[in-house]
Amino acid sequence: MGPLLTIGKVAALADVTPDTIRYYERLGLLPRAARTASGYRHYAATVVHRLEVIRNAQRFGFSLREIAGFLSVREAGGKPCHEVRAAARRMLVATDRNITALKVTRRRMIRTP
């Protein structure tokens, strides 16, 4: 399993704050951390990769709720690929609509005296 990491070390490695890690834990995006006798959280190194997956999915436009759903399907042994692709297609369609609307607005602005 490897050495366990403190929340500060995980935060530094994943380029997030400890508060973000605690928040993701509360939302169920991260598994509950093991605790020392004194109550400090300790994480397996694999949590760093999971944080990177979550952050990349957020940058792509997925909500934390969607990400939690995808991760729960995967943890249950499923393959969320189809759901991820369908959600990405919906986001792409919405982005294309926004681009079209922005182009129309831009043309109107240019024509306005």
Side-chain angles (χ1 to χ4, degrees):
M1 178 166 170
L4 295 177
L5 306 173
T6 64
I7 194 169
K9 183 67 173 173
V10 170
L13 290 170
D15 197 27
V16 298
T17 66
D19 284 339
T20 298
I21 294 170
R22 290 184 199 99
Y23 180 62
Y24 287 177
E25 224 179 276
R26 281 194 306 274
L27 294 179
L29 289 161
L30 296 175
R32 294 273 179 211
R35 300 281 187 139
T36 65
S38 56
Y40 289 100
R41 288 173 167 87
H42 276 124
Y43 297 89
T46 56
V47 79
V48 174
H49 174 69
R50 187 171 179 126
L51 283 163
E52 291 168 350
V53 167
I54 294 166
R55 301 301 280 185
N56 285 334
Q58 278 187 296
R59 283 185 204 101
F60 191 72
F62 290 109
S63 70
L64 290 177
R65 180 175 290 185
E66 288 172 311
I67 297 166
F70 301 148
L71 291 173
S72 68
V73 168
R74 190 165 87 187
E75 286 171 359
K79 296 181 180 177
C81 303
H82 297 294
E83 292 90 357
V84 172
R85 285 188 194 106
R89 274 192 296 276
R90 287 190 301 273
M91 289 168 41
L92 183 59
V93 167
T95 299
D96 287 341
R97 275 196 302 262
N98 288 338
I99 289 169
T100 300
L102 285 168
K103 286 179 179 179
V104 168
T105 301
R106 184 179 187 282
R107 284 192 297 270
R108 286 182 187 148
M109 290 172 76
I110 289 170
R111 284 183 275 166
T112 302

